[in-house]
Amino acid sequence: RDGMVNGEGAGVIVLEAREHAERRGATIRGVLAATAARCEPRARRDGLTGSSLRKAIRAVCEAAGLAPGDVGHVNAHGVSTVDMDRAEAQAIAAELGDVPVTAPKSFFGHMGAGGGAVELAASILGLERGLVPPTLNYHVPDPECPVNVVHGEPLAGRPATAVKVNLCSTGQAAAVAIRAE
């Protein structure tokens, strides 16, 4: 891993009440179980520790009623920079243990504000198929990134839930819990 690769794109996730979706005959691809956002106010001055991400993961799991073993995979922010990846991986491992982790950004680069929706769509489609999408170009594990990165092939046989996380170097973090329909 040698740094962030920029990408370009955007995605849209349609959120609506189940009753409305059913009335109009929509295909329901997933359920938004919970959201959470936290901030690490000293990150800009002291460097990112990942505490905001830990708190966001903990909050989203509590709100969704998910224990660590209930989470099928984490869809990581995964910008491929040493400091950000380490802070993120350590936060994920601290809150969720050895949960499988995927980084869809590895396929299309960092799309900035549009990336979160596109990455979330990758997990929704994966859950619909019973698979965790793999991470592209993952070859050498970093011992300071203690996560179970899905690579090579999609992973089957996991619970049909995911936590999507996003994190920025100035300390803001967000987490979304989803489950298959």
Side-chain angles (χ1 to χ4, degrees), residues 3-181:
M4 181 171 48
V5 175
N6 289 315
E8 190 172 334
V12 174
I13 305 292
V14 176
L15 299 175
E16 64 183 312
R18 172 180 293 282
E19 298 77 26
H20 185 265
E22 289 171 347
R23 256 194 326 269
R24 66 182 191 83
T27 300
I28 300 172
R29 301 206 177 276
V31 175
L32 175 66
T35 64
R38 298 294 185 269
C39 183
E40 186 176 320
R42 295 182 181 269
R44 197 179 289 255
R45 184 183 71 197
D46 299 334
L48 186 69
T49 68
S51 67
S52 59
L53 185 57
R54 283 189 70 174
K55 292 173 186 173
I57 291 169
R58 188 176 316 131
V60 83
C61 287
E62 288 173 5
L66 296 171
D70 298 332
V71 177
H73 74 275
V74 171
N75 181 317
H77 187 54
V79 294
S80 197
T81 62
V82 173
D83 291 340
M84 288 282 290
D85 285 0
R86 287 179 180 166
E88 180 179 23
Q90 290 169 9
I92 292 167
E95 294 302 319
L96 299 172
D98 195 37
V99 65
V101 175
T102 186
K105 198 175 269 110
S106 64
F107 282 89
F108 40 72
H110 190 354
M111 293 186 279
V118 174
E119 294 164 21
L120 181 61
S123 280
I124 290 168
L125 294 172
L127 290 176
E128 189 175 54
R129 290 165 179 77
L131 299 170
V132 178
T135 301
L136 187 64
N137 297 321
Y138 179 82
H139 304 292
V140 180
D142 179 343
E144 292 190 52
C145 292
V147 290
N148 177 12
V149 177
V150 178
H151 62 285
E153 301 284 326
L155 177 65
R158 297 294 303 163
T161 58
V163 171
K164 168 67 186 126
V165 298
N166 282 91
L167 175 68
C168 90
S169 62
T170 55
Q172 296 85 353
V176 175
I178 58 172
R179 61 180 167 81
E181 179 50 25

